[in-house]
Amino acid sequence: MPEATQTRILLADDHALVRRGVRLILDNEPDLTVVAEAGDGAEAIEMARAHRPDLAILDIAMPRMTGLQAARELARLQPQIRILMLTMYDNEQYFFEALKSGASGYVLKSVADRDLVEACRAAMRDEPFLYPGAVTALIRNYLDRVRQGDSIPDSAITPREEEILKLVAEGHTSKEIAGILVISAKTVERHRANLLQKLGLRDRLELTRYAIRAGLIEP
C-alpha cells in the first residue's frame, strides 16, 4: 500500500512495554504506521508538534501531564488531529472526560489487540469508537438526563443556528444562505463557527450527520 494512504500515528504511554506491544499491533497493518512515541502527555504534545501525526493514541494515566490534559491541548493546537484514549480503566467518569477532551474513541488495554485497529480506522472516518460498556454508560446517562428533565444536546442551539445548520447540511454555500435568510455572509460564517464549537464538530460533513440525527434533514 503506498505511503500516502497510511495513517501516521503518535503513541503515548509511560510504559515502554505497552508502547512496544501496541506498536506491534499497529505496524502490522498496511494502512497504519507509528511515526512517534512519547512517555508522558507533555512529550506527546512536543512530538505532535514535530511530526504532525493524523492520529494520537494517548494513555489516560501518565506523569507530568495526563492523557486527558494532553488531548485537550492537542485538540486546541491541532484541531484536525484525531484522538483515541487507551486505558486500563473501564470507568464511566474517565470515559465521559475523554469525550469532553476531544477524543473520538476509548479503547481498553485489555482488548487492544481486538479493538485498537478498528478504533484507529473509525477515528480516521470521523466515527466514534466505543466499547460495549461505554455505549451502555452513554445510554444510561442520556436516559437519566431525560428523567431529570435536563435539556438534551440537540436543543443546545438557537432557532437561527438551527436554520443555518439545516441549510448547510442541504449543501448551500454561505453566500446562498445569506441570500435565503437576508443576512450577511459574515453573519452566516459566525453562526457556522458557533455551531461547530457548541456541538464539538469539525466540518460540514459532521454538521450534516448531526442534522440528520436531529431530524432536520432526511438522510
Side-chain angles (χ1 to χ4, degrees), residues 40-115:
D40 61 53
E43 192 184 356
I45 288 164
E46 290 166 26
M47 288 293 163
R49 279 198 172 108
H51 295 274
R52 309 294 294 185
D54 305 304
L55 173 66
I57 299 174
L58 308 173
D59 180 27
I60 281 185
M62 290 190 288
R64 281 215 293 168
M65 183 185 266
T66 68
L68 294 170
Q69 290 170 320
R72 282 193 285 271
E73 187 66 4
L74 283 176
R76 188 181 67 79
L77 292 171
Q78 297 181 24
Q80 78 289 353
I81 198 170
R82 310 298 197 273
I83 298 169
L84 288 177
M85 305 309 298
L86 186 64
T87 180
M88 61 172 58
Y89 304 108
D90 183 357
N91 176 306
E92 281 184 27
Q93 187 56 41
Y94 284 128
F95 162 64
F96 284 114
E97 286 299 323
L99 293 186
K100 278 195 281 186
S101 299
S104 61
Y106 191 91
V107 180
L108 296 178
K109 288 182 182 180
S110 56
V111 287
D113 56 332
R114 187 193 72 200
D115 287 353

Side-chain angles (χ1 to χ4, degrees), residues 3-66:
E3 189 75 22
T5 62
Q6 286 191 322
T7 295
R8 301 171 74 257
I9 297 171
L10 161 66
L11 175 58
D13 193 293
D14 55 322
H15 295 100
L17 272 175
V18 172
R19 292 202 307 272
R20 191 180 309 162
V22 171
R23 186 168 195 149
L24 280 172
I25 294 168
L26 298 173
D27 283 347
N28 205 33
E29 301 297 321
D31 57 328
L32 306 173
T33 182
V34 176
V35 296
E37 292 187 27
D40 61 53
E43 192 184 356
I45 288 164
E46 290 166 26
M47 288 293 163
R49 279 198 172 108
H51 295 274
R52 309 294 294 185
D54 305 304
L55 173 66
I57 299 174
L58 308 173
D59 180 27
I60 281 185
M62 290 190 288
R64 281 215 293 168
M65 183 185 266
T66 68

Side-chain angles (χ1 to χ4, degrees), residues 148-170:
Q148 290 162 14
D150 290 354
S151 64
I152 299 305
D154 63 7
S155 63
I157 60 176
T158 66
R160 176 59 101 191
E161 286 168 344
E162 189 173 282
E163 279 182 308
I164 286 169
L165 171 60
K166 181 171 168 55
L167 292 166
V168 168
E170 286 171 352

